[in-house]
Amino acid sequence: MSSSLPTAETTSTLLDGFSLEMTGKDIDELTAARHVIPGGTRINVTFLGNEDLPMRVAAANAVRDAGLVPVPHVSARRLRSHEDLAEFLSALNTDRVFAVGGDPATPHGPFADALSVIESGLLEAHGVRSVSIAGYPEGHPDISDEALWRALADKHAALAERGLTGEIITQFGFDVDPVLDWIAAIRERGIDLPVRVGVPGPAGIRKLLRFAARFGVGTSASIARKYGLSLTNLMGTAGPDRFLRTLAGDYHPGVHGTVRLHFYTFGGLRTTSEWIADFRS
Ligand SMILES: NC(=O)C1=CN([C@@H]2O[C@H](COP(=O)(O)OP(=O)(O)OC[C@H]3O[C@@H](n4cnc5c(N)ncnc54)[C@H](O)[C@@H]3O)[C@@H](O)[C@H]2O)C=CC1
Ligand SMILES: Nc1nc(=O)c2c([nH]1)NC[C@@H]1CN(c3ccc(C(=O)N[C@@H](CCC(=O)O)C(=O)O)cc3)CN21
């Protein structure tokens, strides 16, 4: 892909409609960040092992009370039963969710993958109208590319059959090239869902490398250099400015279709929100 220089306009357009992510423990962060987050911004709320239902519902309600749009995660493998899912959805009272497989190596209940949550019918039965699904430009450490491609096609078809709108949220990464190559590949496979490119929010280099290692995200020396991650000065911080400029420069609507941004905040919802406000100004 020929790298072209991004204009301020293409970079700003790319940032339109960006979404953020928080965990159930980040409500104070949300309150602190509220003044720099545009009204109506979507905020994904994680579904992690160290959170419980009341925490997840409280976080989603805090997002709504702040005039923002919660997108609660539903981690298939962490659900203990159909009732567990039904109880969660009725407590959330949300019209959109992010349905994701979940990190447990073995499912805690009847759902082994996001497709089975979609096919349960429980989402639309509880008022959900839009379902985000996960995407892996760089593959997944424990799942074959073939399984990921098949699951993506099955989820895309299942959403269409059920009249549910959707989008794809990609795993964060530090290298734009595999992201745009992957988006071009899904378009060739007829998957036209909007793609929210996962972007690491600004954070300490040590923290970025720790989460990259935890989630199987590539941080080779060449990728680190491209991103501006110094692997020697681990005391420093790094933001996604180069990543976003490269993405804006190499993005072609005719090839890649609708692309937006999803910022993973790693506990830094306020830092990320302020960084985005500065980057846009
Ligand atoms: N923001 C987030 O929370 C994100 C989480 N993930 C993680 O990526 C993995 C896959 O998620 P999806 O793309 O929604 O997959 P999926 O639910 O569509 O499943 C795709 C295929 O991988 C298998 N699979 C799913 N999770 C697995 C796991 N933890 N270990 C082994 N096999 C698994 C499924 O059985 C299925 O065959 C999950 O572990 C998920 O937690 C990925 C991206 C972002
Ligand atoms: N495979 C996979 N599983 C995931 O759960 C996952 C991904 N990928 N991709 C990116 C997002 C980011 N995720 C997370 C998970 C936990 C924290 C977390 O523990 N945050 C702490 C503070 C962070 C710190 O300071 O270390 C918090 O309190 O929010 C953050 C992001 C979950 N996500």
Side-chain angles (χ1 to χ4, degrees):
M1 185 68 69
S2 67
S3 271
S4 45
L5 281 177
T7 62
E9 196 257 338
T10 49
T11 311
S12 173
T13 310
L14 185 66
L15 274 152
D16 286 347
F18 72 86
S19 53
L20 294 160
E21 183 154 321
M22 65 184 277
T23 65
K25 295 184 288 181
D26 291 335
I27 294 182
D28 293 346
E29 276 284 318
L30 173 69
T31 312
R34 177 67 197 87
H35 64 292
V36 283
I37 301 175
T41 298
R42 293 179 192 185
I43 304 202
N44 285 37
V45 180
T46 55
F47 190 118
L48 300 171
N50 62 357
E51 300 156 343
D52 57 21
L53 184 138
M55 277 172 79
R56 297 180 189 124
V57 173
N61 290 339
V63 170
R64 196 175 288 123
D65 294 347
L68 305 169
V69 177
V71 183
H73 287 196
V74 175
S75 173
R77 291 173 165 235
R78 295 191 189 284
L79 294 166
R80 302 200 171 286
S81 63
H82 284 81
E83 296 69 33
D84 192 16
L85 175 55
E87 184 193 351
F88 184 44
L89 291 169
S90 47
L92 283 172
N93 186 26
T94 178
D95 66 353
R96 63 188 66 241
V97 295
F98 172 58
V100 72
D103 290 318
T106 51
H108 294 169
F111 302 107
D113 56 21
L115 179 66
S116 54
V117 168
I118 295 166
E119 292 186 330
S120 73
L122 288 168
L123 297 180
E124 56 268 49
H126 288 85
V128 171
R129 292 289 167 270
S130 178
V131 180
S132 302
I133 55 178
Y136 289 89
E138 298 177 58
H140 186 288
D142 309 325
I143 307 168
S144 70
D145 287 355
E146 187 238 343
L148 287 173
W149 278 119
R150 187 171 60 250
L152 185 57
D154 292 347
K155 287 180 281 187
H156 177 231
L159 293 178
E161 277 155 32
R162 295 174 172 275
L164 293 166
T165 57
E167 59 180 20
I168 296 171
I169 302 177
T170 67
Q171 177 63 283
F172 68 92
F174 298 97
D175 187 357
V176 171
D177 296 341
V179 174
L180 287 176
D181 292 348
W182 182 83
I183 296 174
I186 70 165
R187 301 314 184 199
E188 279 157 26
R189 289 166 180 247
I191 297 179
D192 55 359
L193 296 172
V195 173
R196 277 185 183 276
V197 173
V199 181
I205 288 174
R206 194 186 299 280
K207 181 185 284 193
L208 289 172
L209 293 176
R210 188 170 78 238
F211 276 107
R214 177 169 162 191
F215 298 133
V217 169
T219 53
S220 68
S222 66
I223 291 175
R225 204 170 19 259
K226 258 201 255 185
Y227 186 82
L229 265 180
S230 144
L231 296 178
T232 49
N233 164 20
L234 295 183
M235 304 311 291
T237 61
D241 20 353
R242 282 198 214 174
F243 182 94
L244 295 181
R245 289 200 181 91
T246 307
L247 183 60
D250 294 347
Y251 164 65
H252 295 276
V255 174
H256 304 112
T258 304
V259 167
R260 296 191 188 97
L261 300 178
H262 179 71
F263 289 85
Y264 292 104
T265 58
F266 306 121
L269 187 59
R270 174 176 185 167
T271 309
T272 301
S273 307
E274 288 170 347
W275 186 94
I276 294 169
D278 288 348
F279 187 73
R280 298 186 87 173
S281 62

